[in-house]
Amino acid sequence: MNESGIDSIQNGILSIANTYLNPGRGLLIPRAILMCVTVVLVAIALQGYQVLSIFLVANMLCTCSALPLVLGTWDTPRGRYYVSEGGFLFSLVCTIGTVSLYGIASEWDSTEGGFSGILHGIWYAWAGNMYSWDYFAVAVAASFCHLGLYVSVRSACSGMFGHITGEESEGVLLVQDTGGSSRDIPDEAENTAAV
């Protein structure tokens, strides 16, 4: 069953590498990338990790990124301005850090302490908690809070340096500077038309 999934994943990696990293050229570079990824995955597979722990890492990463990813589909000019790629990355990185800190705090042992205690807490948060609900709740709450923080800061900066008027003019959202002039936030359709 796993072998049938592996060749599909390899075809997907090869397709992405060929489309985005090597468009219109041969398959030599994408195949080299695929071989490097496969060697790393084989090295991980030979370590003898429990399958549920590997799935737990993937599930925790998906939980950390799900809310910002879904909110990123907010398809209005204001939504695209506030919930952008930067907001997604900020929320994801901060949520990974928050879940790691939660694991360290909940598993901290004063007798063990030090760097090994930190590593144990991070390991427990990502691969050892055996699907404990509180880690998933922390991931969802932290991703929401961090995305809200990003949107708030972006909104405050927009308020200090100009505010969004909410008016659209030919696919462009107008941002009014405090000095009276206006800047444009291009619409996504305009960006794709220029390419």
Side-chain angles (χ1 to χ4, degrees):
M1 181 169 115
N2 286 334
E3 290 178 16
S4 67
I6 290 171
D7 71 330
S8 299
I9 291 171
Q10 287 178 330
N11 284 332
I13 292 171
L14 186 63
S15 172
I16 289 170
N18 192 38
T19 302
Y20 294 106
L21 301 178
N22 197 32
R25 294 184 215 120
L27 290 176
L28 183 62
I29 293 174
R31 285 183 178 158
I33 292 170
L34 178 63
M35 286 303 298
C36 292
V37 169
T38 302
V39 167
V40 169
L41 293 178
V42 167
I44 291 171
L46 292 175
Q47 298 301 315
Y49 295 120
Q50 294 179 352
V51 174
L52 287 178
S53 294
I54 295 171
F55 285 142
L56 178 59
V57 172
N59 289 339
M60 288 297 294
L61 284 172
C62 287
T63 304
C64 290
S65 64
L67 187 64
L69 187 66
V70 169
L71 288 176
T73 62
W74 183 11
D75 196 22
T76 65
R78 187 177 300 266
R80 284 191 300 273
Y81 178 72
Y82 285 120
V83 186
S84 63
E85 296 88 356
F88 173 78
L89 290 175
F90 176 80
S91 177
L92 179 63
V93 169
C94 290
T95 302
I96 288 171
T98 302
V99 170
S100 298
L101 286 174
Y102 181 74
I104 293 167
S106 65
E107 291 297 311
W108 185 258
D109 184 8
S110 60
T111 59
E112 185 178 331
F115 189 67
S116 62
I118 292 172
L119 288 179
H120 175 71
I122 292 172
W123 171 84
Y124 190 80
W126 291 97
N129 66 46
M130 296 317 291
Y131 294 90
S132 181
W133 68 270
D134 54 334
Y135 287 89
F136 289 93
V138 166
V140 170
S143 67
F144 181 77
C145 292
H146 292 125
L147 187 61
L149 176 66
Y150 178 85
V151 169
S152 300
V153 168
R154 187 152 186 176
S155 177
C157 289
S158 174
M160 290 188 317
F161 304 113
H163 65 279
I164 295 180
T165 62
E167 302 170 358
E168 290 186 48
S169 173
E170 298 178 349
V172 175
L173 183 65
L174 298 177
V175 177
Q176 189 70 33
D177 281 341
T178 54
S181 62
S182 63
R183 300 179 284 149
D184 295 339
I185 299 175
D187 189 22
E188 188 175 295
E190 184 178 299
N191 287 339
T192 56
V195 175

